[in-house]
């Protein structure tokens, strides 16, 4: 995972300069909510082409990520950078 405290140094070491950063965590939370809604619809669809076990795995994974975003244990950040 990317560490916010070292990202500038890490990118600089790789030859990149950060131009700006934007926190998109709230957007990611919303996107995961919509995705989880779509998965719930698929679970109820008797003609779905997805296995119930696969849908459950996806639901569990995306719920986990969404919860960590909501608890600020993870973040979603867009980093604009240029090659130095």
């Amino acid at each position: 995972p990317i560490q916010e405290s070292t990202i500038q140094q890490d990118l600089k070491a790789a030859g990149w300069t950060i131009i700006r950063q934007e926190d998109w965590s709230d957007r990611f939370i919303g996107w995961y909510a919509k995705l989880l809604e779509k998965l719930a619809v698929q679970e109820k669809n008797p003609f779905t082409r997805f296995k119930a076990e696969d849908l459950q795995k996806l639901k569990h994974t995306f719920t986990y990520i969404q919860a960590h975003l909501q608890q600020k244990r993870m973040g979603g950040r867009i980093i604009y950078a240029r090659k130095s």
Side-chain angles (χ1 to χ4, degrees), residues 29 63 65-74:
I29 291 168
T63 299
I65 294 170
Q66 184 188 41
H68 278 69
L69 286 163
Q70 290 169 328
Q71 297 163 7
K72 308 284 188 216
R73 296 180 74 196
M74 286 176 66

Side-chain angles (χ1 to χ4, degrees), residues 3 5 18 39 45 48 84:
Q3 299 296 319
S5 61
I18 292 178
L39 286 174
N45 180 354
T48 186
S84 300

Side-chain angles (χ1 to χ4, degrees), residues 32-33 35-44 51-67:
Y32 279 107
L35 184 56
L36 287 164
E37 289 172 12
K38 289 180 181 183
L39 286 174
V41 169
Q42 285 298 317
E43 283 180 317
K44 295 174 186 175
K51 294 182 193 176
E53 308 87 56
D54 293 337
L55 289 171
Q56 281 300 314
K57 286 179 192 175
L58 288 171
K59 184 178 174 181
H60 178 268
T61 300
F62 295 143
T63 299
Y64 175 86
I65 294 170
Q66 184 188 41

Side-chain angles (χ1 to χ4, degrees), residues 11-48:
L11 286 175
K12 186 175 182 178
W16 290 86
T17 302
I18 292 178
I19 298 168
R20 75 176 191 273
Q21 298 182 51
E22 296 176 8
D23 184 354
W24 281 27
S25 298
D26 290 337
R27 291 180 190 186
F28 283 112
I29 291 168
W31 291 334
Y32 279 107
K34 288 178 184 175
L35 184 56
L36 287 164
E37 289 172 12
K38 289 180 181 183
L39 286 174
V41 169
Q42 285 298 317
E43 283 180 317
K44 295 174 186 175
N45 180 354
F47 301 107
T48 186

